[in-house]
Amino acid sequence: MNSRRRFLQKMAITAAGLPLLRFQSLAGNFRRDEPVLRVAMMGLGGYANRVADAMKACTKAKIVGAISGTPTKLSDWQQRFGIPVKNCYNYENFDQIKHNPDIDVVYITTPNALHHSQVLRVAAAGKHVICEKPMALNAKEGQEMVDACRKAGVQLLVGYRMHFEPKTLAITEMRKRNEFGKIMFFQGQCGFRIGDPTQWRLNKELAGGGSIMDIGIYAINGARYMVGEEPVWITAQEIKTDPVKFKPGVDETIQFQMGFPSGAIASCLSTYNMNYLDRFYLNGEKGFAELQPSTGYGPIKGRTNQGELTQPHVTHQTVQMEEMADILLRGKKPAIPVDGAEGVRDLKIIDAIYAAVRSGKREML
């Protein structure tokens, strides 16, 4: 009897202490005493699946909703990610998320041309937005999206996963500490041979362009955060070897150059017709940095004049969503911006690249 009494007393003391502990929910990795970012994915294609699978390892964000025009995809996601039917929408009725307190943010991974209208609708519904890059078809659309989110009192983030990648951040921190000295030159090479000629990425109406609107934006964005400045001029040249596959308005290969206020220059290549192009190179008066591969899903490999970069690889989308949860829920400021204004800066450069291709002249920014 005494033993039983001592056991019950011990259990009571233990139970009394439980609210003070941080522990994992039976449903997953989430801590009950921390807010979790509740995400609805819009556009359930290949990249959305990659993000959702990566989020299984997140402790600060989880998939709670889905938006798609394909009923079978919604059914599949309900089963795979435990999404309740009430949190599933199609493209006609997703405005009703404004009545759904289970959803904090909508992550948009649809074709480029749909981003503008979808972000405006999500903002009007009072939800935060994460939009894949490029954020819009041009800077005018992008600024309208930023303005709409600001007016609605919601945040707009862009899916710049490389802004959280450890080796990338290591180089930008070295540059901030002046370890490379005055930056002189950046080279960004981004490309692959694109497959199915009927896919949306080769449809001008849906993609807004060609390789620049897909893979080239990595070199544009990378030049900015590696050099640490905003470009002031652009020149660009287009090469098209297959006008059947790459129809008017869909660029196959573009070489472009950028000049920065300090005098640094960038030389970049964006292509849908060459494989094995995924390299950043930064040159300064006192040192250099190289990433190869530089923007793929990983692992990223890099070195500087001081030696090999050894930061461990973690799935990019897992890190991105953990960090974005901190930004949206806890006001964290990222080392490299990922907000809508950052997206507009890239779109202004894209606009200038296409203008330079048409004019054959230097375009000022």
Side-chain angles (χ1 to χ4, degrees):
M1 190 68 172
N2 288 337
S3 297
R4 182 174 183 271
R5 185 179 296 112
R6 285 195 300 271
F7 173 75
L8 292 174
Q9 289 172 342
K10 183 177 180 181
M11 289 298 292
I13 293 170
T14 302
L18 281 178
L20 302 177
L21 299 177
R22 296 158 67 91
F23 61 94
Q24 290 185 332
S25 157
L26 294 176
N29 303 322
F30 309 105
R31 298 184 184 278
R32 291 185 179 177
D33 58 349
E34 290 185 355
V36 172
L37 186 68
R38 298 167 299 176
V39 182
M41 297 296 302
M42 179 185 292
L44 307 183
Y47 193 70
N49 277 273
R50 182 180 290 274
V51 172
D53 285 336
M55 285 178 63
K56 292 175 182 177
C58 286
T59 63
K60 301 176 183 179
K62 65 177 178 178
I63 297 290
V64 300
I67 303 168
S68 175
T70 308
T72 53
K73 288 184 178 180
L74 289 172
S75 297
D76 175 58
W77 276 56
Q78 288 169 22
Q79 296 175 14
R80 287 170 55 209
F81 300 104
I83 300 173
V85 174
K86 69 181 181 67
N87 288 359
C88 292
Y89 302 87
N90 58 44
Y91 295 129
E92 286 70 45
N93 68 10
F94 74 80
D95 308 87
Q96 296 306 308
I97 60 173
K98 65 183 176 182
H99 303 301
N100 191 333
D102 292 347
I103 296 171
D104 299 316
V105 61
V106 176
Y107 193 151
I108 297 173
T109 63
T110 54
N112 304 336
L114 306 180
H115 293 174
H116 177 262
S117 63
Q118 290 170 343
V119 166
L120 298 189
R121 289 172 65 184
V122 172
K127 303 296 182 181
H128 299 304
V129 194
I130 303 170
C131 184
E132 259 312 306
K133 58 195 177 300
M135 190 174 79
L137 297 185
N138 53 59
K140 178 178 180 295
E141 282 191 357
Q143 189 59 53
E144 290 171 355
M145 294 155 71
V146 169
D147 294 342
C149 289
R150 183 183 299 116
K151 182 178 179 181
V154 300
Q155 293 194 58
L156 170 59
L157 305 182
V158 185
Y160 290 115
R161 60 185 168 83
M162 301 312 299
H163 291 201
F164 307 108
E165 197 281 316
K167 294 182 178 67
T168 300
L169 289 175
I171 291 173
T172 60
E173 288 303 314
M174 291 176 69
R175 187 254 304 152
K176 290 176 185 177
R177 294 193 299 267
N178 199 37
E179 293 183 34
F180 303 124
K182 178 180 169 60
I183 300 302
M184 306 297 293
F185 176 72
F186 172 82
Q187 183 180 55
Q189 299 173 330
C190 300
F192 64 93
R193 290 184 65 90
I194 199 164
D196 180 10
T198 66
Q199 64 180 282
W200 71 263
R201 288 178 178 82
L202 296 178
N203 182 325
K204 173 69 163 59
E205 298 304 313
L206 289 176
S211 70
I212 282 286
M213 297 295 287
D214 181 17
I215 194 70
I217 194 170
Y218 286 100
I220 293 167
N221 190 250
R224 293 176 49 239
Y225 62 68
M226 295 287 273
V227 174
E229 299 179 60
E230 297 300 323
V232 293
W233 58 259
I234 300 283
T235 54
Q237 308 82 37
E238 181 178 6
I239 300 99
K240 187 173 289 191
T241 64
D242 187 347
V244 175
K245 186 173 186 177
F246 302 100
K247 295 177 173 56
V250 179
D251 47 286
E252 173 190 324
T253 300
I254 291 182
Q255 297 180 85
F256 60 97
Q257 302 78 38
M258 297 188 280
F260 295 87
S262 66
I265 57 173
S267 177
C268 302
L269 175 68
S270 169
T271 183
Y272 268 161
N273 200 33
M274 288 178 257
N275 284 327
Y276 313 114
L277 287 177
D278 186 7
R279 178 177 179 266
F280 284 177
Y281 176 77
L282 185 71
N283 178 269
E285 287 186 328
K286 297 194 300 185
F288 74 89
E290 180 183 42
L291 293 172
Q292 187 176 14
S294 58
T295 64
Y297 294 139
I300 302 301
K301 295 182 180 180
R303 65 190 181 104
T304 74
N305 54 291
Q306 299 179 24
E308 183 180 358
L309 297 173
T310 59
Q311 292 77 7
H313 170 70
V314 180
T315 301
H316 295 173
Q317 293 79 6
T318 302
V319 178
Q320 173 193 327
M321 294 310 298
E322 294 283 75
E323 292 291 323
M324 286 187 167
D326 279 341
I327 293 168
L328 293 173
L329 297 179
R330 287 167 274 276
K332 182 175 181 179
K333 184 177 180 180
I336 307 173
V338 292
D339 57 7
E342 177 78 355
V344 172
R345 293 183 190 103
D346 281 343
L347 290 169
K348 287 180 178 179
I349 295 171
I350 288 175
D351 289 350
I353 288 172
Y354 283 135
V357 166
R358 292 190 298 268
S359 70
K361 299 177 182 178
R362 176 179 289 190
E363 297 289 329
M364 304 306 294
L365 290 164

